[in-house]
Amino acid sequence: MIEENIIITSTVHTRPITADIKYLPTKTKKPLILFVHGFKGFKDWGVFNLMATEFAKLGFIFMKINLSHNGTTPENLKDFADLEAFGHNNFTIELDDLKDSIDYLFSSRSIIPAHEIELEDLNLMGHSRGGGLVLLKASEDERIKKVVTLAAISDLSKRWPQSFLDEWRAKGVQYIENKRTNQMMPLYVQLYDDVLNNPDRLSIPGSIKDMKQPLLAFHGTDDETLPVEMAYQIKKWKPDTELVIMESENHVFGATHPWDKSTLPNNYTSIIEKTREFLK
């Protein structure tokens, strides 16, 4: 199995996008899945590496990225070592990161041999906020063939209560606790301003209604972070969505970080199989 780690240079800012690529070399063209982590997430979280291996075994190229401002660094891929980057992240930056990542695959810089990748079969997959991001990107990039979401956010504009917004505006920053690392992670008010200043581009409902690609959406009934109602909203806006509701499952479908087992939770086995059927 080929495992490659790369750094993609952004075209709009100075922070790098780190990525890894996994596939079985067969000298035949394979579909690619580009995976995007969620809020306070990273490409090597929990079960994501095991998931990449399973997709590679099934004949896909699986590429995971660390968004440039997610707080990790090339030297610290699993730690939030750059909280200033995290605080200055926003959805426009993340969409630009996705564009840079897709452009890389289509460029001469790509390390994937041309005989191994089918560029006409490029698919996006995202978890949580990353799920919302791939929904936004699909509506503005025709190179994307299909989209898969895991517990996706359905609307960015209604995420924060008014009291939070008022305090955010007054202070210029809010701090969100990362209970796993005990870090207080800054969110500068520019994140909210980005949503206000780009109402069309950052409208997930509008993007879902406009997107032409087939969509497969997974969500757990016991999601403690983004309620399952968000999945039903997505289905309402795009009626041909293939919606998979997983009973009694939480926001990460039973996974944790770190994940020390050598096998995936049963829910991920089901997710992988249903995704394989959807994409192939």
Side-chain angles (χ1 to χ4, degrees), residues 85-230:
F86 181 90
H88 286 100
N89 193 20
N90 61 48
F91 303 106
T92 295
I93 288 173
E94 292 184 341
L95 284 174
D96 290 340
D97 286 346
L98 257 185
K99 180 181 183 301
D100 284 329
S101 300
I102 295 171
D103 287 348
Y104 168 84
L105 292 167
F106 280 81
S107 75
S108 60
R109 295 174 289 121
S110 175
I111 63 170
I112 305 173
H115 60 260
E116 296 285 354
I117 183 171
E118 179 53 78
L119 288 173
E120 298 303 315
D121 200 351
L122 171 65
N123 309 281
L124 295 187
M125 186 177 192
H127 172 248
S128 191
R129 181 162 132 178
L133 192 68
V134 299
L135 291 169
L136 291 172
K137 178 50 70 175
S139 69
E140 64 180 32
D141 196 324
E142 295 180 350
R143 294 174 294 181
I144 299 161
K145 184 177 180 181
K146 293 182 180 180
V147 178
V148 181
T149 62
L150 307 176
I153 188 170
S154 63
D155 196 336
L156 301 177
S157 63
K158 300 177 181 178
R159 186 68 182 124
W160 305 290
Q162 190 59 48
S163 58
F164 182 92
L165 294 175
D166 291 342
E167 183 179 9
W168 203 0
R169 179 68 64 197
K171 293 182 176 180
V173 63
Q174 288 278 26
Y175 289 89
I176 305 295
E177 183 182 6
N178 186 325
K179 294 182 179 179
R180 181 179 63 83
T181 66
N182 296 318
Q183 290 171 290
M184 296 303 294
M185 307 182 75
L187 293 176
Y188 295 105
V189 75
Q190 61 83 30
L191 173 63
Y192 179 48
D193 288 336
D194 185 49
V195 176
L196 293 179
N197 295 334
N198 299 280
D200 294 329
R201 191 183 187 200
L202 300 184
S203 169
I204 295 178
S207 294
I208 292 171
K209 294 172 185 176
D210 290 341
M211 69 181 287
K212 303 298 190 295
Q213 298 91 338
L215 172 62
L216 171 62
F218 295 92
H219 218 109
T221 59
D222 292 353
D223 192 320
E224 72 286 4
T225 302
L226 300 175
V228 70
E229 285 75 21
M230 288 191 169

Side-chain angles (χ1 to χ4, degrees), residues 25 48 52 60 75 78 98 100 108 150 162 186 235 243-244 264:
F48 293 162
F60 293 90
E75 299 77 27
K78 298 181 181 181
L98 257 185
D100 284 329
S108 60
L150 307 176
Q162 190 59 48
K235 174 74 171 178
L243 183 61
V244 179
L264 287 162

Side-chain angles (χ1 to χ4, degrees), residues 33-86:
I33 301 172
L34 175 55
F35 180 82
V36 186
H37 63 77
F39 182 61
K40 292 188 290 187
F42 44 92
K43 68 180 181 65
D44 298 299
W45 184 93
V47 300
F48 293 162
N49 288 320
L50 284 176
M51 184 170 68
T53 298
E54 291 305 310
F55 274 113
K57 290 178 181 177
L58 291 172
F60 293 90
I61 298 174
F62 200 87
M63 177 177 174
K64 300 187 275 91
I65 63 172
N66 272 336
L67 296 164
S68 62
H69 286 62
N70 75 336
T72 65
T73 67
E75 299 77 27
N76 297 277
L77 295 174
K78 298 181 181 181
D79 300 306
F80 296 114
D82 191 345
L83 291 182
E84 278 301 292
F86 181 90

